[in-house]
Amino acid sequence: MGHEDTKTAMILALIAREHVYVEGAPGAAKTMLAELVTESASLRHFFYQMHRDTRVNELVGETVIKRTVDPVDGTETIAQGIAPGGILQAELAVLDDLSRAPGESLNVLLRVLNERKWGSESIPLLSAIATGNPVSEDGYYGDPLDGATLDRFALQIKAQGLVETSSWEDAGQVIDFYAAPQALDDERYVAKVSPNLVNDAAALVPLVVFGADAKRVLLRLLQVLRDEHNCDDVNSLLTDRTFLVKAVKIMKAHAIATRGDQEVLPEDLRVLRFLTTFRTPEQVHNQIDQIIDAVLAEPPPPPPQPPGSHPGNDGDDDDDNDGKSAGGAGSDEESGDGDDDADDLDAEPQGSGGEGGDGDDQDSDGVNNTDDGGGNDNGGSENGPRSGDNQTNQSGDSESGGGSSD
């Protein structure tokens, strides 16, 4: 009942094959939830409670002494080795009270978690669930986990109890569960799934499509955290390993776990609130949901313009410009023809016959005259004849004179 964030993070860790760290006060159901997930998944598991004297052998297997004999010269070599056990043979590990582990054991453990190898041999470990208590509490032994240690756990949760979060409905269900009659030897019932189901879901993660929209919102979130919320290299741990590699896997796993989808959607970005818990300042993480919502509300940028186009041009302007250019060329041509005709008329000797008498030539001002030799029908005006009209009238007079000679 309740603890939805913790349960979701643990399931995503199994599907994405990543590690999860859950920190909270004692009694916040951290260990119990880790055990329930382990039993439900039906995977080979390893459970260990850390303490200040935790030895490496308790995590990886017992120390053995090996004696080898050289077949050539018969010399013997006695060496110390490890009989693989513990986390080296588990598919799912639960590491309780991680912050209590001493430095020597913790360093070996972190290398195993990161490389999933012991020496050159691969190990079957799929995921690890680590729990821890806040080390600032009085009377509690533990060392604060440094950034390198925390970064080994892709998903991070700050667990809170039902009373602490005022989840009264869920709290009432817990009371009813434990108040019901039961025998002293009743075992806790845990619904189990096939290991194949977990493995099949994990096999789908690499096949999920991570498209351009998902990439855009992921990069935008990182930009907002850096530029607008001052998450720098001093106060934050926004590493490439976590936010460019593991974040993609976890968003893919979220698409499968919540929708059974084969494509990541922008809203899958919300799952990244499980990555910023101890990687960003507390005041930033406390408002991470609002920050992600603001990123998702931003409109996508306009598509890139094709080569040769102008921003904001819908194509109509090009047609208009083409029409104007064509029209302009036609006007110039007509104007040029008129000028040529006027030049021809001006260059022609006045009184010459024949060609000037057609009456179809165009004036220099673009007016067509249809004077057929009448001379004064269209040639006069109150202010006197225009140059084109005068030229045409003279040609008409010449043509008329030629006719009289004949």
Side-chain angles (χ1 to χ4, degrees):
M1 284 73 75
H3 305 287
E4 297 301 325
D5 281 354
T6 303
K7 291 185 288 189
T8 299
M10 290 181 180
I11 293 173
L12 289 175
L14 279 176
I15 297 176
R17 294 191 172 179
E18 292 292 343
H19 309 312
V20 57
Y21 174 69
V22 184
E23 182 179 288
K30 305 181 302 296
T31 303
M32 184 190 71
L33 289 173
E35 292 174 344
L36 287 175
V37 170
T38 302
E39 293 181 37
S40 298
S42 303
L43 298 171
R44 293 197 313 274
H45 61 275
F46 168 70
F47 181 91
Y48 189 83
Q49 174 126 22
M50 301 290 188
H51 53 85
R52 67 178 68 188
D53 296 321
T54 297
R55 298 180 295 113
V56 174
N57 294 344
E58 296 174 31
L59 300 175
V60 299
E62 294 300 327
T63 302
V64 295
I65 302 299
K66 295 181 178 181
R67 182 173 69 92
T68 59
V69 179
D70 191 304
V72 178
D73 56 14
T75 58
E76 295 184 355
T77 301
I78 299 176
Q80 179 177 298
I82 293 290
I87 196 172
L88 300 184
Q89 293 184 330
E91 296 174 304
L92 178 60
V94 177
L95 308 170
D96 200 26
D97 286 338
L98 182 68
S99 56
R100 288 188 175 188
E104 179 185 0
S105 300
L106 194 58
N107 289 336
V108 174
L109 177 63
L110 293 179
R111 182 166 185 173
V112 171
L113 293 178
N114 186 52
E115 299 181 358
R116 308 192 192 208
K117 287 184 177 182
W118 180 253
S120 59
E121 299 293 328
S122 297
I123 62 176
L125 183 66
L126 304 178
S127 181
I129 302 173
T131 67
N133 296 87
V135 297
S136 60
E137 293 183 3
D138 295 338
Y140 181 82
Y141 173 81
D143 294 323
L145 298 175
D146 57 55
T149 300
L150 287 174
D151 201 45
R152 296 299 190 276
F153 299 90
L155 297 107
Q156 303 170 349
I157 294 293
K158 186 174 288 186
Q160 294 178 300
L162 300 179
V163 175
E164 184 181 359
T165 58
S166 299
S167 304
W168 304 123
E169 183 177 353
D170 292 331
Q173 294 180 12
V174 173
I175 293 175
D176 293 339
F177 178 81
Y178 285 99
Q182 53 185 323
L184 289 176
D185 57 353
D186 280 351
E187 294 185 0
R188 178 177 60 191
Y189 172 75
V190 178
K192 297 184 178 181
V193 298
S194 169
N196 294 332
L197 180 61
V198 178
N199 293 328
D200 291 345
L204 291 175
V205 171
L207 305 179
V208 176
V209 177
F210 195 89
D213 288 339
K215 174 183 174 182
R216 171 179 58 81
V217 295
L218 173 57
L219 292 176
R220 178 57 180 159
L221 174 62
L222 296 175
Q223 182 182 13
V224 168
L225 291 176
R226 295 274 303 181
D227 298 343
E228 299 182 16
H229 295 275
N230 301 318
C231 295
D232 54 27
D233 298 338
V234 176
N235 60 19
S236 303
L237 195 66
L238 304 180
T239 63
D240 292 353
R241 173 174 58 192
T242 298
F243 286 94
L244 301 185
V245 180
K246 296 179 184 279
V248 173
K249 291 178 61 179
I250 293 170
M251 289 176 70
K252 289 183 174 185
H254 188 259
I256 293 176
T258 58
R259 302 187 308 276
D261 201 350
Q262 288 292 306
E263 181 176 5
V264 174
L265 300 180
E267 49 263 34
D268 290 315
L269 185 72
R270 291 190 174 94
V271 77
L272 296 196
R273 62 194 179 93
F274 296 145
L275 275 65
T276 61
T277 308
F278 301 109
R279 292 185 173 95
T280 60
E282 184 176 2
Q283 68 272 16
V284 175
H285 176 69
N286 289 340
Q287 54 181 327
I288 191 64
D289 289 334
Q290 292 79 9
I291 295 173
I292 293 176
D293 287 342
V295 169
L296 295 177
E298 294 180 359
Q305 296 291 329
S309 65
H310 301 284
N313 184 5
D314 58 1
D316 294 338
D317 293 343
D318 288 341
D319 295 338
D320 294 342
N321 291 334
D322 292 342
K324 291 178 181 179
S325 299
S331 300
D332 293 343
E333 185 176 351
E334 293 175 1
S335 176
D337 291 342
D339 292 342
D340 292 341
D341 292 340
D343 293 342
D344 292 341
L345 292 173
D346 291 339
E348 193 173 293
Q350 296 185 3
S352 63
E355 296 179 0
D358 293 341
D360 294 333
D361 291 334
Q362 197 176 43
D363 294 336
S364 60
D365 56 1
V367 178
N368 287 327
N369 290 317
T370 57
D371 191 356
D372 57 358
N376 294 328
D377 291 341
N378 298 322
S381 69
E382 294 180 359
N383 296 326
R386 292 173 294 179
S387 60
D389 294 339
N390 186 34
Q391 182 75 17
T392 307
N393 290 338
Q394 291 175 355
S395 299
D397 292 340
S398 299
E399 185 177 357
S400 178
S404 300
S405 300
D406 294 336

